[in-house]
């Protein structure tokens, strides 16, 4: 059996992957909160699409940043590019289904359970589809008990995150919820990695696919940049309360201006209608 190292670069990849998971979770939660407060169907749809892409991208980036630190003694590690991209698209699609179930569901409790289950299974499927993209000299096997535990963690984490989106509104609470969700996603990843065993078969044959630095690293950097840019955009977008306050202030200003104009017209009309006093006769 090959020796597995999950942190070949020390604490760099675990910490960085956790940060990416937290950013994706925070962005997804904020977008879901905005979607639930949206007053139009198109606005709600767009916020939910952004939430799905943010959560899916954050989870995928977390997984593969962590995989940059994965090393197996006695073999190189390559990745099947189509399967890796499919894991990203699958994560966005399935997470999107869960987010939309919550965003449009009428029965909150049932929608939460359905959305949490769908999103959690999407997270788990992304992880194991990404693991299926591994190419190395040997074979990979899994401990079924640890696999099952990682799936349970994913479902519980997703359900808790969606519950937070439905019930937590303040920025501080959203931040705390995103830190918890980031920890849960990271725990799911490393629990799944504990299920992995690799039997190395030495070979001189070239491995198919791309190395992590050739493909995973540039893609992770690109997706991480997308998360940071989208986070800035969402942070600068006014909340529903801010929009309501702005509309109320505009309405008050408009009413005040109308009242002032009406008073001016009334005063001007009164002056025009005032009688002119007759001049005194000359002596």
């Amino acid at each position: 059996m090959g020796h597995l190292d999950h942190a070949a670069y020390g604490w760099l990849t675990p910490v960085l992957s956790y940060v990416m998971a937290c950013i994706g979770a925070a962005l997804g939660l904020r977008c879901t909160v905005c979607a639930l407060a949206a007053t139009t169907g198109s606005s709600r749809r767009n916020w939910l699409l952004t939430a799905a892409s943010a959560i899916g991208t954050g989870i995928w980036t977390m997984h593969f940043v962590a995989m940059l630190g994965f090393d197996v003694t006695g073999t190189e590690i390559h990745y099947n590019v189509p399967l890796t991209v499919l894991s990203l698209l699958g994560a966005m699609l399935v997470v999107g289904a869960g987010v939309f179930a919550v965003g449009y569901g009428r029965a909150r409790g049932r929608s939460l359970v359905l959305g949490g289950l769908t999103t959690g299974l999407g997270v788990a499927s992304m992880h194991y589809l990404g693991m299926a993209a591994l190419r190395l000299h040997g074979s990979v096997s899994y401990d079924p008990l640890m696999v099952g535990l990682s799936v349970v963690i994913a479902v519980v984490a997703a359900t808790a995150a969606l519950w937070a989106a439905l019930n937590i509104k303040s920025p501080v609470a959203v931040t705390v919820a995103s830190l918890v969700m980031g920890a849960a996603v990271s725990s799911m990843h490393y629990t799944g990695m504990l299920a992995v065993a690799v039997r190395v078969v030495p070979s001189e044959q070239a491995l198919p696919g791309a190395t992590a630095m050739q493909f995973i690293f540039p893609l992770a950097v690109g997706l991480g940049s997308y998360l940071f840019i989208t986070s800035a955009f969402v942070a600068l977008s006014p909340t529903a309360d801010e929009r309501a306050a702005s509309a109320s202030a505009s309405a008050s200003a408009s009413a005040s201006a109308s009242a002032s104009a009406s008073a001016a017209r009334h005063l001007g009309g009164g002056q025009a209608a005032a009688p002119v006093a007759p001049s005194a006769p000359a002596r």
Side-chain angles (χ1 to χ4, degrees):
M1 303 294 284
H3 172 70
L4 309 185
D5 188 351
H6 298 289
Y9 299 103
W11 283 100
L12 176 63
T13 49
V15 171
L16 185 57
S17 63
Y18 171 69
V19 170
M20 299 310 297
C22 291
I23 292 174
L27 184 56
L29 290 176
R30 174 65 188 268
C31 291
T32 305
V33 169
C34 292
L36 295 173
T39 56
T40 63
S42 60
S43 177
R44 173 169 291 196
R45 181 195 64 232
N46 292 338
W47 278 118
L48 289 175
L49 287 173
T50 306
S53 67
I55 296 173
T57 300
I59 292 170
W60 188 95
T61 306
M62 176 271 146
H63 171 80
F64 280 101
V65 167
M67 290 302 292
L68 290 174
F70 180 63
D71 184 66
V72 181
T73 304
T75 178
E76 293 182 350
I77 299 176
H78 286 200
Y79 294 87
N80 179 286
V81 173
L83 270 181
T84 304
V85 174
L86 182 61
S87 69
L88 170 61
L89 298 179
M92 290 185 180
L93 186 63
V94 182
V95 169
V99 169
F100 270 79
V102 170
Y104 284 98
R106 296 185 180 275
R108 283 291 176 89
R110 184 171 60 185
S111 299
L112 180 61
V113 172
L114 177 61
L117 181 62
T118 304
T119 304
L121 292 177
V123 172
S125 64
M126 179 282 303
H127 175 87
Y128 289 106
L129 189 58
M131 292 300 295
L134 284 177
R135 296 294 180 265
L136 45 75
H137 293 304
S139 59
V140 180
S141 59
Y142 296 91
D143 179 348
L145 181 61
M146 297 302 291
V147 170
L149 179 59
S150 69
V151 173
V152 170
I153 293 174
V155 172
V156 171
T159 305
L162 294 177
W163 178 88
L166 290 172
N167 296 280
I168 294 176
K169 307 301 179 185
S170 71
V172 174
V174 169
T175 300
V176 173
S178 65
L179 293 175
V180 173
M181 185 180 176
V185 171
S186 296
S187 298
M188 177 268 159
H189 170 81
Y190 286 105
T191 300
M193 294 306 294
L194 289 176
V196 176
V198 177
R199 180 171 182 174
V200 176
V201 179
S203 173
E204 298 297 328
Q205 186 177 1
L207 288 169
T211 65
M213 288 299 175
Q214 288 173 339
F215 175 65
I216 302 299
F217 180 73
L219 189 57
V221 169
L223 293 175
S225 300
Y226 161 76
L227 286 176
F228 280 108
I229 294 172
T230 308
S231 297
F233 171 77
V234 172
L236 295 174
S237 299
T239 63
D241 292 339
E242 291 170 344
R243 287 193 296 269
S246 177
S248 177
S250 298
S252 298
S254 177
S256 177
S258 298
S260 298
S262 176
R265 286 195 300 270
H266 178 72
L267 182 59
Q271 290 175 346
V276 179
S279 59
R283 293 185 179 182

